[in-house]
Amino acid sequence: HKIITNASSDEIELANVGVQQVNELVPLAFERPIQCEAMFRITFVVGGGKKVRQKFYEHLPRDLCLALTGIGYADDRGAYLSL
């Protein structure tokens, strides 16, 4: 499955995605290293304002983070976007 469409950044909206789908998709997409020539950023949209809030599973941010840490990613809140 191709996830990265732009070498510098990509945004993935997870509307209507539940915990089971997160737990299936994250390992498929991110367990193996992504081959690229330059650093990139992936942004997950896991919620929104009152007009779109109902499209997102309530515990999606937590479950996405748990799935990512489950395959070895670290939660680094101090990460910086540029070198």
Side-chain angles (χ1 to χ4, degrees), residues 4-72:
I4 306 300
T5 58
N6 179 332
S8 63
S9 68
D10 203 2
E11 186 173 283
I12 301 168
E13 183 178 303
L14 296 175
N16 302 311
V17 173
V19 64
Q20 183 176 350
Q21 291 166 307
V22 166
N23 289 331
E24 292 171 2
L25 293 173
V26 166
L28 286 173
F30 298 108
E31 269 187 331
R32 290 188 292 161
I34 298 171
Q35 301 299 318
C36 64
E37 295 178 2
M39 189 182 284
F40 61 90
R41 174 181 68 190
I42 299 173
T43 302
F44 295 101
V45 179
V46 295
K50 63 182 178 181
K51 292 184 179 184
V52 297
R53 189 173 296 142
Q54 70 278 3
K55 293 179 5 180
F56 296 93
Y57 165 62
E58 179 182 3
H59 300 292
L60 182 57
R62 179 199 65 199
D63 291 336
L64 177 61
C65 288
L66 287 172
L68 288 167
T69 55
I71 59 169

